[in-house]
Amino acid sequence: MNTRVKVLLVVGARPNFMKAMPLYKALKAKTGWFDPILLHTGQHYDYEMSKAFFEDLELPEPDIYLNVGSDTHARQTAKIMVGIEDVLLGEKFHLVVVFGDVNSTMAASIAASKLHVPVAHVEAGLRSFDRRMPEEINRVVTDVLSDLLFVTEPSGIRNLKNEGIPNDKIHFVGNLMIDTLFLYRDKAARSDVMERLGLRPQKYALLTLHRPSNVDDPQKFGEIWGALMEISEVIPVVFPVHPRTRRRIEEFQLPVPYGIRLLPPMSYIDFLALEMNARLVLTDSGGIQEETTALGVQCLTIRENTERPVTVEVGTNQLVGTSPERIKSEALRILEGKLKSGKLPELWDGHAAERVVRVLEEWAQAL
Ligand code: UD1
């Protein structure tokens, strides 16, 4: 290959940014080889959900911004597809890289593959086997359309093989998001967020909750909330609230006791600091299951399934489901000192981006 390899990296929602950052910078550092262009779909647009992350991660302004905003799934996906198609028709790219499992991920992979632009999927192969999760549909569609599948954990390899994806497309590289975490861990340790919020290490539980299946149904959310209120009588619960969840709390008129502290969504570094110092994390997020495993922090996942089984098999994560009794009893066990020990999963070593770049260099030789 004589010309530089033009790579379009597509991000759109909060969990994408920390996965894209190390790869964008590693490609940028390979001057003469790669020409990485950063496209932001605008799926997330609030300052706290988007720009704050670009600032913390020292990413430049996106080269291309689609400004799609929020909408129903089909409308949002369609707007992103149209925007990406326009970009790919206007300029030749050798590769489109997509991250994770959000609507922007799937939309970009459909638009690119229909124009015969190869697609690389970072975080391929994860499966919850629950098609009621929009992310599961995004994962399955993205993987089937991808030419290079970068996998974070062994279950991803098994799942892709079971779905008939050829071996030579699958690359077990580790976890780009954990590259980012290791890079910023020291900076997070120096953050003043604990002081600003008047928190002391190990003296609070950290909560995040935003899955539609947990917060959109008043009965379900009410039951989970009941358990959290009881936990907050034993240890203060610090809760940075996703905009969707904030609306539901208001709509369902859930009482907010003194022990539950509602906060706006946090920036990357501040949230990392809150995770590192928490006695326990309660969450229904995907990425936070991985971050707590990498940090060795106790995590209870308020879901019936996880697409990241390595965090349970090897890490500090426990899947507790959504029954209020179980959430409460498992939290109390941790507070009594019955901790789950965990190790770092294979290849979560801060060098995933280098492995991805090596695969891309080899792939580009054949262009
Ligand atoms: C999306 C991802 C989810 C990820 C989550 C992290 C999909 C299908 N879901 O869910 O996998 O865990 O991001 O945050 O892609 N909103 C704002 N401001 C924003 C963005 C959203 O107020 O900047 C509100 C809007 O009312 C919007 C709602 O949040 O309708 C949902 O946003 P959306 O991007 O559709 O999904 P998330 O729930 O954020």
Side-chain angles (χ1 to χ4, degrees), residues 60-302:
E61 293 264 322
D63 300 290
I64 306 166
Y65 187 68
L66 297 182
N67 198 18
V68 297
S70 300
D71 214 323
T72 63
H73 281 267
R75 284 171 188 276
Q76 186 180 59
T77 304
K79 283 185 202 162
I80 300 168
M81 285 173 64
V82 170
I84 305 257
E85 187 181 60
D86 283 345
V87 170
L88 295 177
L89 287 173
E91 203 175 335
K92 176 164 170 62
F93 283 91
H94 298 98
L95 183 69
V96 170
V97 186
V98 297
F99 301 86
D101 57 16
V102 302
N103 286 346
S104 299
T105 312
M106 179 183 75
S109 63
I110 297 175
S113 58
K114 289 231 171 181
L115 291 171
H116 313 297
V117 180
V119 175
H121 183 203
V122 167
E123 205 183 86
L126 298 182
R127 297 287 181 270
S128 65
F129 303 102
D130 175 2
R131 294 265 168 109
R132 288 165 312 164
M133 282 180 83
E135 294 82 3
E136 182 73 355
I137 296 169
N138 294 342
R139 293 181 197 115
V140 171
V141 173
T142 302
D143 283 343
V144 87
L145 297 176
S146 293
D147 301 272
L148 293 156
L149 296 103
F150 293 113
V151 174
T152 51
E153 64 164 82
S155 74
I157 307 174
R158 286 198 299 277
N159 295 332
L160 293 173
K161 285 188 177 169
N162 287 341
E163 290 173 21
I165 306 281
N167 270 338
D168 60 355
K169 289 187 176 183
I170 304 172
H171 304 277
F172 180 33
V173 292
N175 196 325
L176 283 165
M177 193 182 68
I178 303 304
D179 286 12
T180 305
L181 183 145
F182 287 163
L183 194 65
Y184 284 107
R185 196 169 33 181
D186 291 346
K187 194 167 178 190
R190 293 192 303 271
S191 155
D192 64 357
V193 68
M194 299 285 292
E195 264 169 45
R196 270 188 279 130
L197 297 176
L199 294 171
R200 278 182 301 144
Q202 299 295 315
K203 299 287 185 209
Y204 64 93
L206 178 63
L207 167 69
T208 82
L209 207 64
H210 74 282
R211 289 255 102 77
S213 57
N214 280 342
V215 303
D216 282 359
D217 175 55
Q219 171 147 7
K220 179 61 133 335
F221 195 7
E223 285 172 10
I224 296 173
W225 193 250
L228 297 167
M229 282 175 40
E230 289 189 47
I231 294 168
S232 77
E233 287 167 15
V234 188
I235 188 168
V237 175
V238 174
F239 184 16
V241 192
H242 185 287
R244 161 202 290 285
T245 312
R246 175 146 327 241
R247 273 209 313 274
R248 296 294 180 241
I249 292 172
E250 285 160 16
E251 195 183 321
F252 305 154
Q253 299 182 350
L254 296 176
V256 182
Y258 184 71
I260 301 185
R261 182 134 168 226
L262 304 188
L263 297 171
M266 291 277 137
S267 66
Y268 181 71
I269 300 286
D270 286 352
F271 189 77
L272 192 51
L274 291 183
E275 271 183 284
M276 288 163 67
N277 287 306
R279 174 87 161 268
L280 135 82
V281 174
L282 297 137
T283 191
D284 62 2
S285 147
I288 292 168
Q289 298 173 53
E290 296 186 339
E291 288 176 344
T292 47
T293 275
L295 294 167
V297 170
Q298 300 294 304
C299 180
L300 298 179
T301 295
I302 304 176

